[in-house]
Amino acid sequence: MDRRTVIRALAIWILLAFLAILNGAFRELFLKPNLGESEAHFASIFLLVFIIIIVAHLFVRSLKNCKIADLFLIGVLWTSLTIFFEFGFGLLMGKDLNILLAEYNFFEGRIWVLVPATTLISPLLV
C-alpha cells in the first residue's frame, strides 16, 4: 500500500471518529429521551454500523489499483485506531476497564462489538 493511501485511510478514520462522536451526541440528545436507554443504544450502534459501511464504500470506490491485502490492512488500521481511541478515551474519562470490556460481551446483549467488526471488514465488504 502506498503512502498516499495510508494518509487517506487515516483521514477517513478521523472522519469516522468524528461521525461516531456526532452519533453519540445524537443518541444522547434525541434517541435516549424518545426511546429510552436500551433502545437508543441499539439504534445508535446500528446507525453507526450503517455510517461506517457508507463511508468505507465511498472511500474504497475512490481507490485505484487497491489489492485485497491493502483493503484488509486498512480495516486492521481503522479497527486498531478505534479500539485504542475507545479504551484510551474511556480510561481517560475515568471509566473502569471492566465496564469498557463488558461492552464487548455479545452474549450479555451488548452489541458494541458490531462496530469494530464492521470497521474491520467494511473495506473488504464494500
Side-chain angles (χ1 to χ4, degrees), residues 12-13 15-16 19 50-60 78 126:
I12 294 298
W13 180 82
L15 172 65
L16 286 170
L19 293 172
F50 178 74
I51 290 168
I52 292 166
I53 291 170
I54 295 300
V55 170
H57 174 71
L58 295 172
F59 174 64
V60 170
W78 287 352
V126 299

Side-chain angles (χ1 to χ4, degrees), residues 59-79:
F59 174 64
V60 170
R61 280 186 52 200
S62 74
L63 297 176
K64 293 176 176 54
N65 302 324
C66 198
K67 299 177 176 101
I68 298 285
D70 293 340
L71 296 175
F72 175 73
L73 289 174
I74 289 168
V76 169
L77 173 67
W78 287 352
T79 305

Side-chain angles (χ1 to χ4, degrees), residues 4 6 10 14 26 33 35 44 46-47 62 71 74 79-80 83 85-86 96-98 101 107-108 113 118 120-121 126:
R4 185 172 185 267
V6 172
L10 288 171
I14 292 169
F26 178 71
L35 300 176
S44 178
F46 284 112
L47 178 59
S62 74
L71 296 175
I74 289 168
T79 305
S80 300
I83 291 171
F85 178 80
E86 177 192 356
D96 184 73
L97 181 61
N98 290 327
L101 289 171
F107 299 108
E108 290 289 324
V113 73
T118 301
L120 178 65
I121 66 167
V126 299

